[in-house]
Amino acid sequence: MIKYQNLKQVNDSFGDELMSAVREVVRSGWYVRGQEVEAFEHEFADYCGTTYCVGVGNGLDALTLVLDSWKEMYGWNDGDEVLVPDNTFMATVLAVIRVGLKPILAEPQIKWAVIDESRIKSLITERTRVIIPVHLYGQMCEMDAINRIAKRHHLKVLEDASQAHGALYNSQNGLELTSLFGRRAGNNSDAGAFSFYPGKNLGCMGDGGAVTTNDLALAEMVRMKANYGSRTKYVHELLGMNSRLDEIQAAILRVKLKRLDKDNIRRLEIAEYYSTHICHPAVELVPFVSGGSHVYHVYPIKCKNREYLRSLLLKNGVETLIHYPVPVHRQKAYMEAVSGGSHGGLDFPISDMWANDEVSLPISQSMTDKQVQFVVDCINQNIF
């Protein structure tokens, strides 16, 4: 069986390094807000090219804390609007609703699944406050165009970079994933939000997240809100929450961060092989992106008869997933929170197309060339 994602195999590839890092934390006797978290925050900020990084409990909290901090800092009102893509993991929208703001959904591009920047302008109103571009599947959004729109309308931009660890915007240097050739995900806007869920390109062994920014005031506000609204123990300036990256997860992330570029390069090699060798007429390939602006957290293809394709692959021992089968505008939780339980007449045909046709092929730095070739052969040599 070629699993969609074999996390045990990925973690085993680090040998004793991960166990050693965890053992050191256990022996230290310090498990929350300690040296490992502080070191990881510095290292990840340096890697992304930002001045500040704040470790938090998960990716949803990272998004929530930034939005809640801005709302506090700038005096925004409940019901002020945030532009988000319709085809994204629900966490992006949950964060907006959590802080009392209103998500305004935008269609994705047909070619790639990221937000269509050409549609953003028509959605902006006098109540719009933030644009959240999601680097879906590991593909960077058109950040220069989005930032120009935001600047013109005095809006904040928050990158949801939870699927794009290490991706480079404006990179033209093949598989050389170095920040000399572009700006990292999380450093192309006012702030970036990351998840370190185990299956991410940079994943811990539990939940974890981070906020990156070059804004000191925002970093301090996020850190305070994530720590019960407190800078000093037992002194609470704001109504905060408990959302902190713990020491063990930080230690694990520090080990994995050293190898992130190498692992992303392997993902790019697999994606390129898929893109140049899959040639079945029933499969529509998404154009391959070289140069590091896509780090292939997911390798998506489109197929009108996808359930048959998935069952065929599974019979041959190849596991696949769908990202995501239900777009936000059709989610019950969204409809109840935003439009009183009704569909509201929303029409997102491109988003629906992605939800209906997308299939995610296995892609991992732990896959062998033989396994990658087998996936391709299973697609090309079968009738469906």
Side-chain angles (χ1 to χ4, degrees), residues 157 212 271 367:
V157 179
T212 55
M367 288 180 72

Side-chain angles (χ1 to χ4, degrees), residues 123-137:
L123 299 173
I124 295 172
T125 72
E126 61 182 16
R127 299 200 69 177
T128 308
R129 300 290 176 260
V130 186
I131 303 170
I132 303 184
V134 179
H135 303 319
L136 199 69
Y137 304 153

Side-chain angles (χ1 to χ4, degrees), residues 87-108:
N87 64 322
T88 182
F89 183 56
M90 190 64 180
T92 315
V93 172
L94 289 176
V96 177
I97 296 170
R98 255 174 120 182
V99 301
L101 300 174
K102 182 180 179 180
I104 303 298
L105 304 179
E107 278 269 60

Side-chain angles (χ1 to χ4, degrees), residues 103-123:
I104 303 298
L105 304 179
E107 278 269 60
Q109 297 178 13
I110 295 176
K111 186 183 290 188
W112 292 290
V114 296
I115 193 169
D116 188 341
E117 70 283 355
S118 69
R119 298 172 183 263
I120 290 175
K121 217 174 344 181
S122 65
L123 299 173

Side-chain angles (χ1 to χ4, degrees), residues 23 48 76 84 95 121 124 197 246 255 280 376:
R23 196 177 298 116
C48 293
W76 296 344
V84 297
K121 217 174 344 181
I124 295 172
Y197 185 76
D246 70 57
V255 172
H280 197 290
V376 171

Side-chain angles (χ1 to χ4, degrees), residues 356-380:
N356 293 331
D357 297 351
E358 194 273 340
V359 178
S360 303
L361 299 182
I363 185 165
S364 167
Q365 60 268 35
S366 67
M367 288 180 72
T368 65
D369 289 346
K370 190 174 180 180
Q371 288 176 317
V372 177
Q373 183 180 343
F374 182 76
V375 174
V376 171
D377 290 344
C378 282
I379 295 172
N380 289 344

Side-chain angles (χ1 to χ4, degrees), residues 24-36 246-248:
E24 286 303 310
V25 175
V26 173
R27 287 174 175 168
S28 75
W30 195 290
Y31 308 118
V32 177
R33 301 187 76 195
Q35 293 181 352
E36 291 294 332
D246 70 57
E247 285 288 283
I248 287 178

